[in-house]
Each structure stands twice: as C-alpha cells, then as structure tokens.
Amino acid sequence: MSADHSFDGMADKFAQNIYGTSKGRIRAAVVWQDLQGCLSRLGERPLRILDAGGGFGYFAQQLAQMGHQVELCDLSADMLELGRQQIEAKGLSDRIRLIHCPIQELDQHIEGEFDLILCHAVLEWLSEPRQTLISLLRYLAPGGILSLLFYNRNALLFQSLVVGNFDYIRAGLTKKRKQKLTPSNPQLPDEVYDWLQRGGLKLIGKTGVRVIHDYMRHKQDQQEKFDDLLQMEQRYCRQEPFVALGRYIHVMAQRPLLRGESTHERAPWGQHSD
C-alpha cells in the first residue's frame, strides 16, 4: 500500500496539468462522450456512482450536477480538499460524499452496490493494480458499468520507438529519475481486458484517448490546430488500429444482469426491489 502514489502537495499542479492543457482537454472531452453513452445504457434515472481514486472529482462534479449521487474517494487529502472547495461553490455537497482512503480500504467506508464505477488514471500508480481492480469489482451492481481509464504501456513503447529513445526501451521503459506526474506502472491493454473478463464483466467499449496528440511532429500544432485536432481525435478514437495507440485507453465493462431483470427496472441507488 505504501508504494501507491499520492498527489498530496501537488493538487493544483495536477489539476492544471491534467485538465488545463491541450492533452487534458482532449482527455476530458473524449472520456465524457463515453460516459454519456454509459449513462444512456443505464437508463433515465438517478444513479449511485463511485469515483474511485477520483482526485478532486472532475467527472464526479459533472455527474452530480446531472442529479446523480456520487461517492468520491482518493488517497490524497489535498486533492479532496480542492474538490471540496469546488463542490461547495457549486452547491453539490448533498450529492457528493468525500472519502479519504485508498481504494483497498473502501470496504471500511461504503456499503452496497453502485450502478456506475469510475476508476480513471489509477492503475498506473498502484503497486498491485490487478488485485486492486478485482477488489473494486465487488461493488459493481448487476447491470452496472465500470469506466476504467489506464495509461497504455504499448503507446509509451511506440512513442519511444518513433522518437528513437532506444536506451529507454532497453531499460524497460524505466526512467533513471522518476517524474512526479509521469505514471510509474503503465499497463498492457490485453492484461487489463483479461482481468475484467475473468472478473465476470463483458467489455462493451474501448476508446483510445489521445490517439494523435502525442504523436504530432510539430508540437505547436497541438495548440494552434486544437479544434481540428479534437475533431480528429473524436473521429478516430474508437476505431482500430487507433484505439491501441491511445496514450490512455478507456475501457467500459458491464456486469451481466440478474435473470429477468433490466437496468430500467432496478430501484434507484443500485438497491434491488423486493
């Protein structure tokens, strides 16, 4: 547990780096499109949502504004404090509950099942990503959807090949000096998909996040041609071979319904009707 990464002391820098840059804006736009698709699959009703390792709650806040109830957990007290300030300013305190704990200790803080679980950019910071992911799946209700975003090791390898960073590749994609905002444990997509399927989930969607941005030859185009770039990202991000090249991959997986049940029949907040 001690090897897992916390962003205490870097909350503001993290928020700016992730959502205040061209790469962050693409990530937010592409993932939000996917989440809207997940919501439509779950039906027009208030949902019980868990944002596991959700930082200051970028998506949690948007989902709460739509009328959903969100439990937001994070290892970093600083990230949650930043979230609390934003949540209070938006009048969302009654719809978002903040939980300061690692994902591995969620069982001490929550009960029941969730219709939608978000786990975004978390696995790559964990010392035991598979075990943590499997422990998270127990909270997913029948018919519920997992939204899992992870740092793609294959994309990191491909970019390193393209720029000729061969020593880095020979070193196993391990930097001599660790960078605080660079994930330490990128994941292999096929392994993650296998974990989900072995956990009893059905893969319902895969999206590459930043399938173009990070490979652009002229970095100034990331800013100067942003509108066109975002349009192209959204055009190709769900098509192969581009999905596999995404710097992040967003995979959506659904737990099968109980026999004779539909998501529209399930009671609000993930509780089963008698």
Side-chain angles (χ1 to χ4, degrees):
M1 231 73 91
S2 59
D4 293 347
H5 193 91
S6 169
F7 289 97
D8 276 339
M10 299 189 298
D12 291 320
K13 181 178 180 181
F14 178 88
Q16 171 62 27
N17 187 69
I18 298 302
Y19 297 109
T21 60
S22 58
K23 63 182 180 181
R25 290 163 65 195
I26 288 170
R27 170 171 154 178
V30 169
V31 173
W32 183 246
Q33 267 193 336
D34 282 347
L35 287 177
Q36 289 178 306
C38 292
L39 294 175
S40 67
R41 290 180 73 109
L42 291 168
E44 296 293 329
R45 60 193 175 91
L47 304 174
R48 188 178 189 221
I49 299 172
L50 173 63
D51 192 354
F56 64 92
Y58 180 86
F59 289 116
Q61 293 178 45
Q62 295 183 66
L63 291 164
Q65 286 177 318
M66 297 175 71
H68 303 297
Q69 200 73 27
V70 186
E71 310 245 347
L72 168 63
C73 100
D74 201 83
L75 183 61
S76 168
D78 288 354
M79 293 293 280
L80 289 175
E81 174 57 23
L82 177 61
R84 184 190 64 77
Q85 295 170 15
Q86 296 178 2
I87 290 163
E88 288 184 354
K90 295 175 182 177
L92 296 173
S93 298
D94 61 334
R95 292 188 190 160
I96 302 179
R97 177 181 171 230
L98 301 179
I99 305 170
H100 181 213
C101 77
I103 292 173
Q104 299 93 332
E105 296 177 8
L106 267 172
D107 59 343
Q108 301 175 29
H109 302 271
I110 63 174
E111 294 181 354
E113 300 171 327
F114 294 84
D115 303 296
L116 177 63
I117 295 178
L118 278 54
C119 186
H120 293 171
V122 173
L123 295 188
E124 57 268 22
W125 299 103
L126 301 178
S127 58
E128 298 181 341
R130 184 185 70 82
Q131 293 90 326
T132 303
L133 178 60
I134 294 302
S135 73
L136 190 59
L137 297 184
R138 76 179 107 162
Y139 304 113
L140 189 63
I145 295 176
L146 171 71
S147 163
L148 180 68
L149 180 73
F150 63 91
Y151 197 61
N152 179 9
R153 185 179 177 88
N154 289 339
L156 181 61
L157 172 59
F158 182 67
Q159 186 185 40
S160 300
L161 288 166
V162 169
V163 301
N165 199 351
F166 303 134
D167 288 340
Y168 178 48
I169 295 168
R170 292 188 185 100
L173 303 180
T174 302
K175 292 186 181 294
K176 293 180 181 178
R177 291 178 58 192
K178 288 191 175 182
Q179 296 172 296
K180 291 183 178 179
L181 291 177
T182 300
S184 55
N185 192 12
Q187 299 298 301
L188 290 169
D190 285 345
E191 287 189 355
V192 176
Y193 303 152
D194 183 62
W195 298 343
L196 295 174
Q197 290 170 323
R198 286 176 180 269
L201 274 58
K202 177 184 178 182
L203 305 187
I204 59 172
K206 299 174 186 174
T207 299
V209 178
R210 301 203 322 256
V211 300
I212 304 165
H213 178 281
D214 292 25
Y215 305 109
M216 297 186 83
R217 181 173 297 178
H218 305 295
K219 297 301 181 185
Q220 67 269 23
D221 288 344
Q222 295 171 348
Q223 299 288 343
E224 295 173 4
K225 298 181 179 180
F226 181 80
D227 290 342
D228 284 339
L229 171 59
L230 177 58
Q231 183 181 20
M232 291 297 172
E233 291 275 0
Q234 292 175 319
R235 177 176 177 178
Y236 291 106
C237 65
R238 297 173 186 91
Q239 302 176 32
E240 291 292 3
F242 308 104
V243 173
L245 294 175
R247 176 49 59 98
Y248 287 82
I249 289 180
H250 184 215
V251 57
M252 291 140 282
Q254 190 165 25
R255 185 173 298 289
L257 284 163
L258 299 174
R259 182 172 296 179
E261 186 182 34
S262 75
T263 54
H264 299 272
E265 294 169 346
R266 299 188 66 241
W269 317 127
Q271 298 170 355
H272 297 293
S273 300
D274 294 330

